[in-house]
Amino acid sequence: MDFNFNHEELWSKCLDIVKDIVPESNFSTWLLPIIPLKYQNEDLLVQVPTHFFFEHIETNFSDVIGKSLQRITGKPTRLLYKIKLSDNFIDITPEQRPNKEKAIQNLPPNSKAALVSPFEQLLPNRLDPQLNSSFHFGNFIAGNSNKLSRTAGVSIAESPGKTIFNPLFIYGKSGVGKTHLLHAIGNHALYKNPELRVLYVSSHLFQVQYSQAYLNNSINDFIHFYQSIDLLLIDDIHELSGKQGTQNVFYHIFNHLHQNSKQLVLTCDRAPKDWQGVEDRLLTRFKWGLTAEITQPDYQLRLDILMSKIQRDGLEFPEEVVEYIAHHAKDNIRDLEGIVVSLMAHSIIIGKNVDLELCKQVVDNSIQVKERPISVELIENEVCKYYKLEPELIQTRSKKQEVAHARQIAMYLSKKYTDSSYARIGELLGKRNHATVIHACKTVNDWIETDKSLRSDIQTIEKILFQ
């Protein structure tokens, strides 16, 4: 085929073909800004505004452009790129894409001296990390529900980017402490090394910043800024679901940070496998490091968190009040802290000391109390399960020490936590009379005063009952 078009005519013919193939929004956003510069020896040189722009064209449009050019010229035509960096340019071919740094090194000496790599630009000495200084490891109480995440977080804070936990992907329901842990990691990392560039950002803010950069034609600056971070803490990453443009730019930021041993910590409200609306290539990268779940706090952790806050704030709550809150505020940590604040406010306003009656009123108004029905049968089952006994044994007349011991504890807890009479409890636990139950309750009360091991057993069973 005889071809006599110059580079502008060739590109115009190419666009005429491509615009009928790709969506109009993609065509105007990604293809119209491309400027043809030269066509020679079956190579078409074009100018694109940023390196990110180049990568997007190569990933999404190179095939359709190549086929369109071949259709016009009748020959395979190679697309070469000139990328504008401020007032300087860098020439790069598709073959050089995996190693852009090498392409820079091969420039003539005078061009190389004038070129400033976007990853080596001078950056502000100080960066506001957007951290809340009140969130630190000292008040992030460890428990079974968060032990793995907390341990990994401490390791990361000591040596960001130098552990196998990169990225650290933390997931769990709202209010279990994910955001607290992010800030704790950032605060400790800065304490260890004040020169680190640390940034906490919500996914919503990241999305807003990207949209503004897109509208202002400053995506290059947006990417360069985030690629300068040493420890990037992104909260609620699930909010990027369905945001293809933002996911695409985050993919490139992620790759650069990870390849340069910079640390990423992400939080999400679900496990990666349950996340819809996100690109597979991102999900794959999220699994490169450690995926750790923070579950709802168990009774012991709720109790520890309450005691820590009460002591930290210089408050004095009766033990029964603390236990009542821990028993009923089960869903998340925010409920626990909110109830403590509300209790103190009510106490001050109405001029009444904090007691169980006031506590019940506040808890009832603060959360939906989901009582687990505590029955004699439930107590019998949990006591037997704890001591590894068959429930039928308690119903027998057996006087073996371990059986009698469990039976008496079941009677004691039944009287403490149910409205059943002594006679009813005796009837349900082996058809004993009320005097036997009274004796059992007195015996266990005496044991609690003197036997530390038994007291621990009973406390453990109580926690199980109110989980």
Side-chain angles (χ1 to χ4, degrees):
M1 181 182 291
D2 186 22
F3 175 71
N4 296 313
F5 293 126
N6 63 24
H7 59 276
E8 292 179 341
E9 293 172 313
L10 172 59
W11 185 244
S12 177
K13 290 281 187 182
C14 178
L15 290 183
D16 286 341
I17 297 173
V18 172
K19 71 180 179 181
D20 294 328
I21 301 173
V22 303
E24 183 179 352
S25 58
N26 285 340
F27 180 81
S28 59
T29 300
W30 298 105
L31 298 177
L32 284 183
I34 297 175
I35 300 173
L37 299 177
K38 180 198 269 187
Y39 177 73
Q40 185 176 0
N41 298 328
E42 299 169 13
D43 289 342
L44 176 62
L45 178 65
V46 298
Q47 178 184 311
V48 294
T50 68
H51 188 271
F52 171 69
F53 205 101
F54 152 68
E55 289 190 335
H56 189 82
I57 295 296
E58 273 293 288
T59 301
N60 298 282
F61 303 110
S62 59
D63 286 345
V64 68
I65 292 174
K67 290 175 181 177
S68 299
L69 290 172
Q70 185 170 356
R71 177 177 165 185
I72 299 167
T73 65
K75 301 176 183 179
T77 300
R78 188 171 62 159
L79 201 60
L80 306 180
Y81 299 85
K82 183 179 283 289
I83 300 173
K84 185 172 183 179
L85 303 175
S86 300
D87 294 327
N88 303 292
F89 294 88
I90 173 174
D91 296 332
I92 188 166
T93 67
E95 290 82 354
Q96 293 169 315
R97 178 179 176 180
N99 195 349
K100 186 191 69 170
E101 288 76 12
K102 183 176 180 181
I104 294 174
Q105 292 169 2
N106 289 337
L107 290 172
N110 58 339
S111 300
K112 184 177 176 182
L115 179 64
V116 178
S117 166
F119 308 133
E120 296 173 358
Q121 292 181 17
L122 293 178
L123 297 164
N125 290 328
R126 293 190 60 81
L127 169 68
D128 183 354
Q130 301 295 313
L131 292 170
N132 186 334
S133 60
S134 64
F135 290 156
H136 48 81
F137 286 119
N139 57 18
F140 187 87
I141 310 302
N144 293 330
S145 64
N146 61 29
K147 187 174 183 180
L148 178 60
S149 299
R150 190 184 191 280
T151 301
V154 172
S155 297
I156 286 169
E158 289 285 335
S159 303
K162 304 297 189 294
T163 74
I164 61 173
F165 311 129
N166 194 17
L168 173 59
F169 188 97
I170 305 165
Y171 72 97
K173 293 182 178 180
S174 176
V176 295
K178 303 187 300 295
T179 299
H180 187 150
L181 182 55
L182 275 188
H183 286 276
I185 292 170
N187 282 317
H188 189 78
L190 277 178
Y191 170 76
K192 296 287 291 186
N193 183 0
E195 301 302 315
L196 278 178
R197 289 178 62 78
V198 177
L199 181 66
Y200 165 88
V201 63
S202 69
S203 288
H204 175 73
L205 180 57
F206 184 88
Q207 167 69 21
V208 170
Q209 291 172 345
Y210 167 72
S211 298
Q212 291 174 342
Y214 183 85
L215 292 173
N216 297 331
N217 197 28
S218 58
I219 290 179
N220 213 30
D221 295 335
F222 174 82
I223 295 173
H224 293 167
F225 168 75
Y226 274 97
Q227 288 178 332
S228 75
I229 305 300
D230 297 313
L231 171 55
L232 181 58
L233 309 159
I234 299 192
D235 211 359
D236 296 329
I237 193 75
H238 53 269
E239 292 190 7
L240 296 189
S241 294
K243 308 290 196 310
Q244 187 174 359
T246 313
Q247 288 180 30
N248 193 31
V249 76
F250 181 65
Y251 169 81
H252 295 287
I253 291 170
F254 183 105
N255 281 346
H256 177 80
L257 294 179
H258 195 275
Q259 289 167 7
N260 288 274
S261 297
K262 307 301 183 182
Q263 181 70 50
L264 295 106
V265 185
L266 318 166
T267 71
C268 189
D269 66 355
R270 69 207 72 173
K273 66 181 179 65
D274 299 324
W275 191 3
Q276 304 295 320
V278 65
E279 295 183 14
D280 289 341
R281 60 179 183 169
L282 266 181
L283 282 181
T284 300
R285 280 157 176 77
F286 293 159
K287 299 173 187 176
W288 279 355
L290 174 66
T291 298
E293 181 182 13
I294 300 182
T295 58
Q296 291 174 311
D298 58 20
Y299 173 79
Q300 186 57 53
L301 181 55
R302 298 196 297 269
L303 203 60
D304 292 344
I305 291 171
L306 282 170
M307 292 304 300
S308 174
K309 179 169 181 57
I310 290 168
Q311 292 170 4
R312 189 170 65 246
D313 294 346
L315 307 175
E316 290 187 10
F317 283 9
E319 184 177 345
E320 60 183 2
V321 167
V322 179
E323 291 179 349
Y324 186 87
I325 299 172
H327 281 148
H328 293 87
K330 301 177 181 180
D331 289 342
N332 61 64
I333 295 168
R334 294 193 189 112
D335 285 347
L336 296 174
E337 297 179 340
I339 288 170
V340 171
V341 172
S342 188
L343 259 179
M344 289 309 303
H346 278 78
S347 174
I348 293 170
I349 291 171
I350 66 178
K352 179 182 178 181
N353 290 332
V354 174
D355 58 16
L356 187 56
E357 180 186 359
L358 178 61
C359 176
K360 288 181 178 180
Q361 293 175 8
V362 170
V363 170
D364 288 345
N365 291 331
S366 301
I367 61 173
Q368 183 178 358
V369 177
K370 300 176 182 178
E371 294 282 4
R372 180 188 184 188
I374 305 297
S375 64
V376 176
E377 292 84 354
L378 174 65
I379 291 171
E380 178 187 19
N381 286 332
E382 294 297 346
V383 169
C384 290
K385 192 183 300 182
Y386 183 80
Y387 286 112
K388 298 181 174 60
L389 296 172
E390 292 297 327
E392 292 78 12
L393 285 174
I394 284 184
Q395 298 295 330
T396 68
R397 291 287 174 177
S398 173
K399 294 185 179 180
K400 288 184 179 180
Q401 183 177 358
E402 62 270 22
V403 177
H405 184 81
R407 187 188 297 118
Q408 287 178 316
I409 290 176
M411 290 176 174
Y412 165 82
L413 292 174
S414 295
K415 187 57 187 173
K416 183 175 180 180
Y417 292 114
T418 75
D419 295 329
S420 300
S421 64
Y422 288 115
R424 180 60 178 163
I425 293 170
E427 176 68 21
L428 293 173
L429 296 176
K431 299 190 182 301
R432 268 43 176 201
N433 59 37
H434 75 284
T436 303
V437 180
I438 293 173
H439 174 73
C441 292
K442 183 178 184 306
T443 300
V444 175
N445 261 320
D446 292 341
W447 283 344
I448 289 174
E449 296 294 328
T450 58
D451 190 329
K452 183 178 180 181
S453 176
L454 178 97
R455 183 165 65 248
S456 176
D457 285 352
I458 291 176
Q459 288 173 345
T460 302
I461 295 170
E462 288 175 326
K463 291 172 187 175
I464 294 170
L465 288 171
F466 289 98
Q467 286 281 31

